[in-house]
Amino acid sequence: MRRAWVAGLLMAAMLSTPTVALAEIGRIKTVVGAASVVRGKAATPATPGLQLQVSDVLQTGKDGRIGVTFVDNSRFSIGPNSRVSLTQFEFDDTTHRGKSLTTVDRGSLGVVSGQIAKENKDAMRVRTPTSLLAARGTRFVVKVP
Amino acid sequence: MRAVVAAAAAALVAGCASQSVTLLNNEGGGQGAVAVLDPETGRELGQVTTADTEASLGRGSVEAKALRKDRKPWFGDLVARVPYAPETYVLYFYEGTTDITAESESVLAALREALKPDSEVQITGHTDTVGDAALNDRLSVERAQQIRTLLAASGLPTDGWKVTGRGERELLVATGDGVDEQANRRVEVVIRY
């Protein structure tokens, strides 16, 4: 009986782990030209509908563009020749508490902020090689040539 | 050797100087602001508060300059390709039931029009504070499922949809316990295009 109970717990643990690991933070909405998503060591072509996770890296070639909508309703437009990492993203859709950090290594990024920036001061951040930006409820573009 | 170093330094300086942030008007009018923080300490170096002004990044201070009006901005295409704003539809229910109100029928019709087979859909049910919390958790999920069922009847694939209930945790109108409040008996459907 006790063993069955432990096995049950183990199974519950195994069932619940992937859910956490695969938490969707946003989805690719539009893709133009050469564009890929790097997850761990694997690069896959970016396609509309692809679900994104924390730590994914979005890359575009010289004709590439990617549009993304996140679960807090913030939205990105990634321009050509870009490398953008979804370094951090936490969002509780009941309390709207959360924070995000996006790293723009190169290229261009258009941002329309969402619930994270609305509900938490300076919680939506964008890092460039030299700087750290905090969205205060807004639309802006960042360029890293 | 020295020339190479100098060239590299010049390139580095040029690269740093041309990183920039440009604030734009919000889609609904008005504007927010973007703060520039020290990447090491998080201390605020300054902020950009006027739409259509641009600040160079990587300097100790923040000085936003107006964009030149005689030049096409570099970011036109970038801004045009930001995905559409998500839309929220709200349907209301009769007390203690999964029946939508007569007024919400038009919202259901609008939803059917708006949804496409590849739409990303999140359906969240809510209740008022009549009844205990466990019952309301169940009722809120049933309301959300009912909306999915009604929408599925028009032939949409609903497999990837997120359907959840929040019981009485997220009141639209704050009330005490045991209060019959129409505005809180609702399902919110978010479509992210």
Side-chain angles (χ1 to χ4, degrees):
Chain A
M1 184 61 202
R2 189 188 168 94
R3 182 170 297 171
W5 188 70
V6 171
L9 272 185
L10 273 176
M11 227 163 95
M14 287 189 313
L15 284 173
S16 63
T17 309
T19 323
V20 173
L22 296 172
E24 177 188 358
I25 63 168
R27 224 174 262 200
I28 292 182
K29 294 299 175 186
T30 55
V31 176
V32 177
S36 60
V37 178
V38 182
R39 182 171 297 165
K41 283 177 183 165
T44 53
T47 50
L50 186 75
Q51 300 186 11
L52 297 171
Q53 302 169 14
V54 164
S55 302
D56 282 350
V57 180
L58 306 175
Q59 293 191 135
T60 55
K62 66 180 194 309
D63 60 344
R65 295 178 175 277
I66 303 176
V68 177
T69 300
F70 292 90
V71 293
D72 78 324
N73 291 344
S74 58
R75 290 167 280 148
F76 281 2
S77 170
I78 298 170
N81 288 321
S82 298
R83 183 184 152 89
V84 175
S85 306
L86 310 178
T87 310
Q88 179 191 47
F89 192 99
E90 294 166 21
F91 180 62
D92 179 328
D93 65 6
T94 300
T95 62
H96 289 174
R97 279 185 206 284
K99 53 184 169 178
S100 71
L101 176 64
T102 304
T103 306
V104 184
D105 293 323
R106 63 164 188 274
S108 54
L109 175 68
V111 176
V112 176
S113 64
Q115 297 291 353
I116 288 177
K118 194 173 174 187
E119 304 287 338
N120 312 267
K121 184 173 165 29
D122 290 357
M124 183 189 199
R125 296 186 170 193
V126 176
R127 188 159 62 198
T128 75
T130 62
S131 302
L132 184 62
L133 306 172
R136 293 181 173 167
T138 193
R139 184 161 71 137
F140 60 96
V141 290
V142 177
K143 182 166 71 173
V144 179
Chain B
M1 181 61 195
R2 185 172 296 172
V4 172
V5 173
L12 196 65
V13 169
C16 291
S18 47
Q19 280 179 39
S20 68
V21 60
T22 307
L23 184 67
L24 304 172
N25 280 317
N26 287 338
E27 292 158 307
Q31 82 229 1
V34 176
V36 183
L37 311 177
D38 184 311
E40 301 299 325
T41 64
R43 185 173 66 88
E44 183 174 328
L45 300 172
Q47 52 175 344
V48 185
T49 55
T50 307
D52 295 325
T53 63
E54 176 185 80
S56 291
L57 300 174
R59 299 170 177 182
S61 62
V62 177
E63 189 188 338
K65 291 183 185 143
L67 294 173
R68 286 181 56 166
K69 292 222 167 60
D70 57 336
R71 262 195 224 163
K72 235 173 121 179
W74 65 268
F75 50 77
D77 215 19
L78 192 69
V79 172
R81 288 173 187 277
V82 172
Y84 295 118
E87 281 179 6
T88 303
Y89 293 75
V90 186
L91 303 101
Y92 297 93
F93 292 78
Y94 293 115
E95 191 184 339
T97 72
T98 58
D99 303 328
I100 60 170
T101 62
E103 296 78 25
S104 293
E105 291 289 348
S106 62
V107 180
L108 191 66
L111 259 172
R112 287 193 171 116
E113 287 286 311
L115 285 167
K116 295 178 181 62
D118 61 348
S119 294
E120 177 187 349
V121 179
Q122 183 180 326
I123 305 181
T124 310
H126 303 273
T127 68
D128 60 22
T129 59
V130 174
D132 67 30
L135 179 132
N136 281 331
D137 278 350
R138 205 163 56 236
L139 178 59
S140 66
V141 173
E142 287 168 2
R143 282 176 174 162
Q145 288 169 338
Q146 172 64 7
I147 296 303
R148 177 175 60 186
T149 303
L150 290 171
L151 292 170
S154 42
L156 289 160
T158 63
D159 299 349
W161 295 10
K162 277 183 220 151
V163 180
T164 56
R166 302 226 173 268
E168 55 180 70
R169 292 178 186 78
E170 208 177 324
L171 303 176
L172 198 66
V173 174
T175 69
D177 196 25
V179 176
D180 160 9
E181 172 57 63
Q182 166 105 76
N184 289 332
R185 296 192 298 269
R186 69 200 194 277
V187 162
E188 293 172 358
V189 181
V190 179
I191 308 177
R192 299 193 180 94
Y193 295 99

